[in-house]
Amino acid sequence: MDIEKLREELIADEGMRLDIYKCTAGHLTIGVGHRIIEGDAEYGKPLGYTITERRMKQLFDLDIAIVREDCHRLYEDFSDLPEEAQRIIANMVFNMGLPRMRLFKAMRQCVNDRDWAGAALEMLDSKWARQLPNRSERLVKRMRALANE
């Protein structure tokens, strides 16, 4: 998977901030959509607290590594999927996390069957798609395009 392309896509979707803010779900967040958790140096810091670009890059690198591991947990043959499918799935895992992505059972089956049109339909039929219409529409369009290749 082209990690640099994935980074660009995630920055476009998540934004990039050096100050602590509350995401749309109300969680304290920093950097490129990094949810602050216990154990992070930023844990317990107030809204508006800022970090360096270097720290933001460290958090982003860590989050990307976790996403890659989670994608391989979700699909044993993740590396065999088309590049585009890998980046779409990684984007979704980054946004929702592995536990919520595991709930997309019908989509997972479609991906396992290489039924890209079916996977796109399953992506649309979700709370995620209703909550993030712009992001989901872009990713669904890309997934549908795989069916035409």
Side-chain angles (χ1 to χ4, degrees):
M1 174 170 44
D2 185 334
I3 298 301
E4 285 312 308
K5 275 190 176 182
L6 177 63
R7 285 177 191 280
E8 291 170 13
E9 292 170 10
L10 291 173
I11 289 169
D13 283 332
E14 298 284 339
M16 184 169 45
R17 292 182 57 175
L18 297 177
D19 62 309
I20 294 178
Y21 64 97
K22 282 191 179 183
C23 72
T24 56
H27 303 292
L28 293 180
T29 307
I30 201 157
V32 182
H34 177 80
R35 181 176 173 183
I36 299 170
I37 59 172
E38 195 171 344
D40 285 341
E42 298 76 17
Y43 187 78
K45 303 288 187 201
L47 284 172
Y49 176 85
T50 59
I51 59 172
T52 64
E53 285 189 32
R54 181 177 180 209
R55 175 63 176 153
M56 181 192 61
K57 185 180 179 331
Q58 288 173 336
L59 290 170
F60 196 28
D61 289 346
L62 176 64
D63 290 342
I64 294 271
I66 291 168
V67 163
R68 291 177 75 190
E69 290 173 14
D70 287 348
C71 286
H72 285 278
R73 286 185 182 102
L74 199 59
Y75 298 97
E76 288 181 16
D77 64 345
F78 184 74
S79 296
D80 296 331
L81 297 175
E83 166 77 20
E84 184 73 350
Q86 289 180 36
R87 286 199 328 273
I88 292 165
I89 292 164
N91 188 308
M92 293 176 73
V93 171
F94 188 95
N95 181 239
M96 290 185 276
L98 181 61
R100 280 196 235 140
M101 272 300 291
R102 282 195 165 132
L103 299 175
F104 282 68
K105 292 177 183 176
M107 178 198 161
R108 285 178 40 214
Q109 186 59 55
C110 288
V111 169
N112 286 331
D113 295 340
R114 306 311 194 248
D115 174 7
W116 309 119
L121 284 173
E122 294 301 330
M123 290 164 68
L124 277 176
D125 186 24
S126 68
K127 182 178 177 182
W128 167 79
R130 290 186 294 281
Q131 289 177 331
L132 299 169
N134 295 334
R135 185 181 203 157
S136 62
E137 284 174 28
R138 278 193 312 276
L139 295 178
V140 164
K141 183 178 179 180
R142 290 170 53 193
M143 187 67 84
R144 278 192 185 126
L146 286 170
N148 298 323
E149 289 184 359

